Amino acid sequence: MTADIRRRDFLKTSAAFAGMAAAGFSCVEVANAAPIQVPTVDRLSIRVLVDQQHDQFLRGSTVNGVVHEGPGPARSADARNVLHNEWGLSLFLESQREQDKRNILLDFGYTSPAIINNIGLLKVDPASLNALIVSHGHIDHYGGLIGFLEQYRSVLPPEIKLYAGGEDNFCHRVSRASTGQFGEGGILDRKQIAAQKVQTVLCETPTVIEGHAFTTGKIKRNSVERVLPNTFVDYKPDSAGCDYGHYTAAELQGNFAPDEHVHEHATCFNIRGKGLVVISSCGHVGIVNSVRQAQEISGVQKIHAVVGGFHLGPAPADYLKQIVGEIKKLEPDVVIPMHCSGLNFLLEARAQMPDNVINVSTGSLLTFSA
């Protein structure tokens, strides 16, 4: 599979732009491959808009300088509505450098009713958004996007962009049951995004977003981590936008291939005097790999926080223990698991790093400051 990934990288350079034009996707650009100047911010807050559960009794805390405000009851004034929870993730990111502020929405949960409901209850202002990011092409992270755009496009900035890790975001995915049968896994339709007049930027290389955040680009696999079995991908060309000529001949035969997540990227911030906050929405390619990539491209070695989904819920106990040990070696100030990290990860992380773990839920607010 590593050879296939390199082949895609080679082929895409010559074929991608021609394929995009032929397919009629005028609202698409590819991020510049030049080295980036990593920005620094003074403050970052993360509001958990959508996660799998809401704990109204979850207490706030301050761990190694990171402030967590519990979500509280988070219900409407008439008590008829509460936060919606589902298998998925959406994070509202607010950053500040001196007087300059930027807001980014990272991922959109599984369904639009959940994210739209929670935006209202948590009093998040979509009109304040400067950029959108989708972490990878799984429906529990992009499923709410189109409905979100249909609801709020009129108040979003006219030139707002969606930053995506690569072409694989737009390919059809399936899941395989224990019986061997494939079930529907969803597809992110690029034409629907373009119809909302949102430009897609493919961040296959590290990319600075709005002068405050940066993405990792494709994540190198150089740790002991491995991709745990999950979805399969159909790479053959389709009307939704998958494939611009840089997949292998075998992949284009229409056979389902194990998902290697070559398009997954992490979103990062460099907090002045504190170090990197690395947000891995699912971490299929490995959370340690993701952090190392952020360190390499930024030149910043200090890890302030590792945040998000780490996809270790299905991990065998011995592998989980090993990976938590590798995370500990990174010496993060805090580890904040969400979504697919799993209760088993939370317990193991608390056992190995008892003074560094923050447990959150839908509605939680995290603040990182210089």
Side-chain angles (χ1 to χ4, degrees):
M1 180 56 70
T2 300
D4 289 346
I5 293 173
R6 288 198 298 266
R7 175 177 171 79
R8 278 194 292 269
D9 290 340
F10 173 77
L11 292 176
K12 75 177 181 188
T13 303
S14 59
F17 290 104
M20 290 177 190
F25 296 112
S26 57
C27 294
V28 176
E29 67 178 80
V30 176
N32 194 320
I36 64 172
Q37 185 68 39
V38 172
T40 299
V41 298
D42 299 317
R43 184 180 183 277
L44 168 68
S45 69
I46 301 177
R47 174 71 78 176
V48 184
L49 284 181
V50 178
D51 203 341
Q52 65 189 31
Q53 57 91 27
H54 166 235
D55 183 353
Q56 70 172 353
F57 300 119
L58 190 61
R59 295 181 179 178
S61 61
T62 299
V63 179
N64 294 328
V66 178
V67 179
H68 169 226
E69 296 178 33
R75 53 177 173 254
S76 60
D78 62 5
R80 293 178 178 272
N81 191 25
V82 295
L83 289 174
H84 291 184
N85 307 283
E86 62 186 10
W87 182 254
L89 190 65
S90 178
L91 304 174
F92 183 73
L93 314 175
E94 299 180 272
S95 58
Q96 183 172 350
R97 182 175 57 246
E98 297 180 346
Q99 300 306 310
D100 185 34
K101 298 179 181 180
R102 292 291 185 272
N103 295 337
I104 297 171
L105 185 56
L106 170 59
D107 287 344
F108 309 89
Y110 202 116
T111 66
S112 55
I115 187 174
I116 291 170
N117 176 78
N118 293 0
I119 281 173
L121 282 179
L122 295 170
K123 296 180 172 54
V124 168
D125 182 10
S128 71
L129 285 167
N130 303 105
L132 311 173
I133 303 175
V134 61
S135 61
H136 65 299
H138 277 180
I139 194 169
D140 51 330
H141 294 261
Y142 71 73
L145 171 60
I146 301 304
F148 167 82
L149 291 175
E150 291 173 346
Q151 179 77 14
Y152 297 116
R153 184 62 184 95
S154 62
V155 302
L156 296 173
E159 303 302 321
I160 197 165
K161 297 180 180 181
L162 173 70
Y163 294 85
E167 290 294 338
D168 287 20
N169 281 281
F170 308 102
C171 291
H172 179 215
R173 281 174 167 76
V174 296
S175 58
R176 185 160 66 182
S178 58
T179 60
Q181 298 296 311
F182 286 107
E184 181 57 52
I187 184 167
L188 177 57
D189 193 327
R190 197 198 307 254
K191 288 184 177 179
Q192 290 183 314
I193 299 170
Q196 294 292 332
K197 295 181 170 55
V198 173
Q199 185 180 48
T200 298
V201 181
L202 300 181
C203 307
E204 298 190 348
T205 58
T207 304
V208 174
I209 298 181
E210 289 296 317
H212 279 216
F214 68 97
T215 66
T216 56
K218 287 186 177 179
I219 297 170
K220 297 177 183 177
R221 294 112 196 273
N222 54 15
S223 74
V224 298
E225 295 167 304
R226 59 181 184 269
V227 176
L228 298 176
N230 50 91
T231 54
F232 288 73
V233 189
D234 183 1
Y235 288 103
K236 71 176 182 292
D238 58 46
S239 61
C242 179
D243 179 56
Y244 289 122
H246 65 266
Y247 296 109
T248 67
E251 288 169 338
L252 294 176
Q253 293 303 309
N255 298 319
F256 295 135
D259 200 340
E260 289 290 326
H261 307 285
V262 295
H263 66 296
E264 183 177 8
H265 60 169
T267 300
C268 311
F269 292 83
N270 183 27
I271 310 298
R272 189 181 310 279
K274 295 293 182 68
L276 297 178
V277 175
V278 180
I279 307 171
S280 169
S281 296
C282 237
H284 291 284
V285 300
I287 184 57
V288 176
N289 286 331
S290 301
V291 171
R292 287 180 178 177
Q293 179 89 355
Q295 290 173 315
E296 179 179 340
I297 64 177
S298 69
V300 178
Q301 295 304 302
K302 174 58 184 172
I303 303 301
H304 187 38
V306 183
V307 184
F310 309 148
H311 201 69
L312 288 165
D318 56 344
Y319 178 71
L320 176 66
K321 185 180 293 291
Q322 180 184 25
I323 299 307
V324 172
E326 292 297 313
I327 295 172
K328 183 178 180 180
K329 291 178 184 177
L330 296 169
E331 299 183 341
D333 292 329
V334 293
V335 175
I336 308 173
M338 302 174 182
H339 181 42
C340 56
S341 301
L343 177 60
N344 53 346
F345 174 87
L346 178 64
L347 297 176
E348 183 61 35
R350 282 178 169 170
Q352 293 195 37
M353 296 178 286
D355 300 322
N356 305 90
V357 180
I358 299 177
N359 184 31
V360 299
S361 82
T362 302
S364 285
L365 179 65
L366 297 155
T367 302
F368 312 81
S369 56

